[in-house]
Amino acid sequence: MAIAALITWLLTAVGGFVMLGVWIARGGRRTSRFSPGLIFGHFALAAAGLVVWIVFLVADAAALAWVALVLLVPVALLGFAMFARWLPAYRARTAVAGGPGATGTQQAPERHFPVAVVAGHGLLAVVTVVLVLLAALATGGA
């Protein structure tokens, strides 16, 4: 279970890197509905949790599994906040009105996120949290 959590966590990170790359390449904070603190806070906490999880796998210290799980809570909350801010940009992208010269949300870099990547990232994130929780419970260090 712990190895499955690592695999899903790494796959989730790949999706996150794709979206971060699109966000930066398309102008980042200049026209985004996402603040850099939101983006990089989510990234930093997820990366820190992943490092703790890897150390847990190597050291087999139950407390580290719980620390990783606790780190995932704000990661998930920030992820939900970004998803809520992404939805209007996605809806504006799919709207017929406005055309290519539209301003505002139409120009937000997050409107260029591939829908499959957003969906996959979210789904894998949920699976990761569940697997981390189950692995932490299995350690008996509750």
Side-chain angles (χ1 to χ4, degrees):
M1 185 108 34
I3 297 298
L6 175 65
I7 291 167
T8 60
W9 205 326
L10 290 170
L11 291 172
T12 304
V14 169
F17 278 123
V18 167
M19 290 185 287
L20 179 61
V22 168
W23 188 78
I24 291 170
R26 296 288 182 155
R29 69 184 185 123
R30 288 182 306 206
T31 57
S32 181
R33 297 173 61 92
F34 298 167
S35 71
L38 182 62
I39 294 279
F40 293 108
H42 179 76
F43 169 76
L45 286 170
L50 179 57
V51 168
V52 169
W53 191 253
I54 292 169
V55 173
F56 156 70
L57 290 174
V58 171
D60 198 27
L64 292 176
W66 292 102
V67 170
L69 181 64
V70 167
L71 284 170
L72 281 177
V73 172
V75 171
L77 293 174
L78 292 171
F80 284 127
M82 286 189 287
F83 180 72
R85 291 183 183 182
W86 172 78
L87 279 175
Y90 170 71
R91 288 184 182 133
R93 176 178 79 173
T94 59
V96 176
T103 59
T105 304
Q106 279 289 65
Q107 299 302 316
E110 53 272 12
R111 82 180 190 126
H112 300 283
F113 291 169
V115 176
V117 174
V118 173
H121 181 74
L123 180 62
L124 284 168
V126 170
V127 171
T128 299
V129 171
V130 170
L131 289 174
V132 167
L133 173 62
L134 293 174
L137 288 171
T139 64

